[in-house]
Amino acid sequence: MKHPELLSLHSVSDLRISPGTSRCAFLVHTPCEAENNYETHLYVSDFTVSYPIGMSGITSFAWVDDAALAVGRPSADSTQFALLSLKDGSEGTVWNIPFDARIEGWVLGQLLISARRPITEEKAQEDGSWTILDELPIWEDGEGYRAKIRRQLFLCSYGGQPIRISPEEMDVRIVSAHSNGLAYAGYILGNHGRIVNEIRYWAGEDRLLRRNCGDIRHLALGSNYAFIYALDIERETDSAPALIQVSLDTGKADPLYVSGIAVGNYIVSDIGLQGKILCADGDALYFAATKEGSSQIYKLSASGEPLCLTLDPGSIEQLDVRAGRIVFAGLRRGSCQEVYVLEDGEQMISHLHGNDTLPFYPMVEIPCHGIQGWALREETEEKTCPAVIFLHDGPQQAFGKVYHFGMQLLAQNGYVVLFANLPGSMGYGKDFSMLDGHLGDDDCNGLIRFLDAALDACPEIDPSRLAVIGTGYGAYLAAAATGKCNRFGAAICDGVISNCVSMVSTSDHGIAFAEKQMKACAFKQTGELWKRSPLSRIASMKTPTLLLHGENDRSSHLSQGQMLFTALKIHGVPARLCVFPGENHSLASKGTPLARDRYHTEILRWLKMYL
């Protein structure tokens, strides 16, 4: 590998506190160059020291009690589930399930698992050489084709076979379980392709709690309520989220809190994994929310107002709360992803990156009216340094005060790295995050305004040696900017959107993208969609452009990169398309180690050529 530092980037998932709150456990994922994948180890912590236990390969788990865990290991066409003793580390296989499944919890003495399963005999008979599509959406990034496949829930009694408890037609999206029951939310395909969402509750029997509560993003099961964070399907963004409590007895839904605070972690990086950020402890509600470049933990007070519990800069990416004890995983104080307990401040308990020699350059804030932005830089008075400006995916995401490997690598190679939360970003109120269909306008103007502010603040930057890098929506904005100005000597687009008309039919969220982001009816206002497409400005594009694309990207389909590449070549603009087989839209953050290594190699090569 040309960038072996990537092998030091550990990430955390499935953070869970034990029933008696004496321990917590989590999975640690470590890149493996030899196998070109990620080794997974289960860690247990007493909130002071964390240590691995059991053999590698565990991909899901649940606490049985404070002395034992149920753990899952998938094989080629089945999944083994065992009970792991914390006393001596021994395992005993109890279940062998004949399909790929993961553990969701331990409920009333039974193992709760989920699995994507075919719901028709025809779908079950597909052998990989053919597939039938007869419903929307046709696929999902990171999952593949979805037609007649649903994520279902099953309960397994000791040594028994799995029994499905969720409706067969329901695609379960979110699960929240405790020892006495579980709540879950998902979607059912209605008439004329209409999606109906449901919240259901199981405590010995399954029943419907509520239907059509909006777009449910997070769910937490309390003692008397199921708490949800939902968006109205008609709204464009979730900058003013609604926290709702649904009675487990009656199904009555009442709003708890609606505000400009952005519930959820919207801070982006190319390291770390996202997880649960909404938790109920009894009927007290805890959640992560994003504000001005950081996400923090909040508790909803009795008065209905959120009380901020953390203060350090960074992101909260996973959260669990039990009996008042709070643990979380995040990128804090410029560090890579670690696990913390909230006791007399934020106390790190994982120490996964203590001895690593990763590049680290401190970030400084760039003054720019109405836009929060930063730079990784070494101050000098000579105007000799090339600069690269990063654009995040979304647009409803945000940069923040967190570690970003790709940015640090460029700083280490002599580039001033610029990044900012342009109009459309989260954490600055509803009005700021709503582009109201003007993608490529207000955000592009903000990009140029921030760039000018950065040139004023960083006299070492050579204004003739500028590049722009974007991922997903950020790649769309980068391409749009090169069609509007000639200020960049190089552009790099990861998972670009180049044709908003074809995006409608090829993306896993194409129709919603057109109607909510572009404010254009997918098949009636194609002129408006084309006007917003970077390809519509191809005659003005002169910037040498590197295109990076996962072959299995179902969010920004590979054809988006192919169309822009073809158009640039025909118009005589230097262009290079690097396709990564087997990779999806999360190439930079979750791709295989060798793919991520090549990804950064391509970027450095292109910048060296054109800056």
Side-chain angles (χ1 to χ4, degrees):
M1 293 181 70
K2 294 188 177 181
H3 308 291
E5 312 97 299
L6 284 165
L7 300 177
S8 300
L9 294 172
H10 312 280
S11 55
V12 173
S13 70
D14 297 75
L15 176 61
R16 295 176 178 177
I17 299 175
S18 66
T21 72
S22 63
R23 297 181 173 96
C24 70
F26 50 92
L27 297 177
V28 175
H29 309 268
T30 302
C32 176
E33 180 181 5
E35 299 295 330
N36 194 28
N37 60 15
Y38 293 84
E39 294 181 343
T40 303
H41 294 271
L42 176 65
Y43 275 62
V44 173
S45 175
D46 62 1
F47 303 106
T48 56
V49 178
S50 302
Y51 54 92
I53 189 169
M55 298 175 63
S56 65
I58 294 172
T59 58
S60 61
F61 72 92
W63 286 100
V64 176
D65 53 41
D66 276 35
L69 292 152
V71 298
R73 286 192 179 86
S75 58
D77 54 2
S78 64
T79 309
Q80 287 188 340
F81 296 106
L83 295 181
L84 169 64
S85 170
L86 297 188
K87 295 179 180 178
D88 57 13
S90 62
E91 289 186 27
T93 300
V94 180
W95 303 272
N96 193 355
I97 308 300
F99 47 79
D100 186 19
R102 64 167 280 116
I103 297 173
E104 299 292 345
W106 185 264
V107 180
L108 293 176
Q110 300 179 82
L111 184 68
L112 174 67
I113 63 174
S114 67
R116 297 180 76 241
R117 303 296 297 152
I119 61 172
T120 65
E121 186 62 28
E122 181 183 44
K123 178 60 64 175
Q125 290 177 356
E126 291 179 3
D127 59 5
S129 59
W130 56 278
T131 190
I132 300 297
L133 304 176
D134 56 2
E135 63 181 20
L136 295 176
I138 60 175
W139 52 32
E140 182 177 356
D141 193 58
E143 297 288 350
Y145 288 117
R146 283 187 54 183
K148 295 297 189 291
I149 295 176
R150 305 288 189 267
R151 183 182 179 217
Q152 300 175 335
L153 295 179
F154 302 84
L155 279 172
C156 305
S157 58
Y158 195 89
Q161 291 301 304
I163 298 175
R164 178 175 52 78
I165 61 171
S166 59
E168 185 179 37
E169 288 286 337
M170 186 181 206
D171 190 28
V172 176
R173 310 301 288 179
I174 313 170
V175 182
S176 180
H178 55 49
S179 60
N180 296 319
L182 66 114
Y184 61 98
Y187 303 92
I188 294 176
L189 191 65
N191 296 329
H192 308 295
R194 179 173 174 266
I195 299 295
V196 177
N197 68 69
E198 292 185 350
I199 306 170
R200 305 186 72 90
Y201 177 61
W202 189 95
E205 62 179 13
D206 186 67
R207 60 186 174 88
L208 175 68
L209 277 184
R210 194 81 183 178
R211 183 172 285 149
N212 291 330
C213 280
D215 184 3
I216 301 169
R217 298 293 181 87
H218 302 286
L219 168 69
L221 178 61
S223 300
N224 299 292
Y225 299 94
F227 299 95
I228 63 172
Y229 155 51
L231 315 181
D232 188 318
I233 290 177
E234 301 301 321
R235 287 170 55 190
E236 178 190 18
T237 70
D238 40 358
S239 54
L243 289 169
I244 300 169
Q245 65 180 20
V246 180
S247 169
L248 298 180
D249 291 329
T250 65
K252 184 176 183 292
D254 294 304
L256 287 175
Y257 177 71
V258 179
S259 171
I261 192 171
V263 171
N265 173 51
Y266 296 94
I267 305 299
V268 297
S269 178
D270 58 355
I271 63 173
L273 296 173
Q274 300 281 348
K276 177 177 66 174
I277 57 86
L278 185 72
C279 296
D281 186 17
D283 283 327
L285 188 62
Y286 297 78
F287 57 91
T290 301
K291 183 178 181 181
E292 298 177 357
S294 284
S295 57
Q296 305 292 354
I297 299 172
Y298 292 79
K299 179 182 179 181
L300 203 62
S301 66
S303 65
E305 288 299 314
L307 173 66
C308 187
L309 304 180
T310 53
L311 295 173
D312 288 343
S315 64
I316 305 290
E317 296 173 315
Q318 297 166 49
L319 172 67
D320 199 20
V321 184
R322 191 185 287 260
R325 174 158 266 172
I326 302 171
V327 295
F328 64 93
L331 305 172
R332 309 297 282 177
R333 302 187 293 267
S335 298
C336 296
Q337 192 174 43
E338 299 282 358
V339 178
Y340 299 81
V341 61
L342 195 59
E343 292 179 354
D344 298 322
E346 303 178 20
Q347 308 300 326
M348 185 189 298
I349 61 175
S350 56
H351 302 283
L352 300 174
H353 300 89
N355 298 317
D356 297 335
T357 56
L358 292 164
F360 180 79
Y361 287 77
M363 62 180 67
V364 294
E365 194 151 345
I366 299 295
C368 181
H369 180 69
I371 294 176
Q372 187 178 27
W374 301 267
L376 303 180
R377 58 184 290 226
E378 288 187 302
E379 293 189 30
T380 174
E381 294 300 320
E382 299 182 11
K383 285 183 175 289
T384 58
C385 296
V388 180
I389 185 165
F390 274 73
L391 305 174
H392 63 68
D393 204 347
Q396 282 81 43
Q397 294 185 8
F399 283 129
K401 303 165 188 176
V402 299
Y403 191 90
H404 189 290
F405 177 78
M407 292 183 186
Q408 293 288 342
L409 183 64
L410 290 184
Q412 186 182 48
N413 280 270
Y415 298 91
V416 176
V417 178
L418 307 172
F419 52 107
N421 290 328
L422 306 176
S425 301
M426 297 296 286
Y428 302 89
K430 179 179 179 180
D431 292 340
F432 191 86
S433 67
M434 291 183 67
L435 290 173
D436 200 27
H438 297 297
L439 272 73
D441 287 341
D442 296 347
D443 45 1
C444 193
N445 293 336
L447 165 62
I448 300 304
R449 187 153 55 89
F450 174 73
L451 182 60
D452 288 337
L455 291 175
D456 289 339
C458 305
E460 70 272 19
I461 296 176
D462 181 349
S464 68
R465 302 173 69 195
L466 303 176
V468 60
I469 296 179
T471 298
Y473 155 76
Y476 162 87
L477 183 55
T482 63
K484 289 189 171 187
C485 71
N486 292 314
R487 298 188 65 172
F488 300 105
I492 298 170
C493 299
D494 168 15
V496 71
I497 302 166
S498 64
N499 185 337
C500 299
V501 178
S502 63
M503 171 84 170
V504 170
S505 299
T506 58
S507 171
D508 59 0
H509 65 285
I511 295 175
F513 168 81
E515 296 180 351
K516 294 184 179 181
Q517 301 287 5
M518 295 292 183
K519 295 297 185 182
C521 183
F523 294 100
K524 294 181 180 180
Q525 295 171 289
T526 53
E528 181 65 22
L529 291 173
W530 176 249
K531 184 176 73 173
R532 298 287 173 195
S533 301
L535 275 175
S536 69
R537 295 179 175 270
I538 189 63
S540 302
M541 291 185 180
K542 308 298 180 186
T543 306
T545 302
L546 171 65
L547 298 159
L548 306 162
H549 224 110
E551 190 174 48
N552 291 347
D553 191 333
R554 303 302 186 230
S555 184
S556 302
H557 190 257
L558 176 59
S559 60
Q560 297 288 320
Q562 292 169 327
M563 282 187 281
L564 183 54
F565 171 75
T566 301
L568 290 169
K569 297 295 278 188
I570 288 175
H571 283 77
V573 180
R576 178 179 172 92
L577 172 60
C578 185
V579 179
F580 294 82
E583 302 294 344
N584 56 42
H585 195 64
S586 302
L587 167 63
S589 58
K590 300 179 185 177
T592 60
L594 294 182
R596 293 171 72 186
D597 184 61
R598 182 69 185 199
Y599 177 94
H600 293 294
T601 299
E602 287 286 331
I603 290 174
L604 287 170
R605 173 187 178 276
W606 197 255
L607 294 176
K608 184 177 181 180
M609 286 178 63
Y610 291 101
L611 295 188

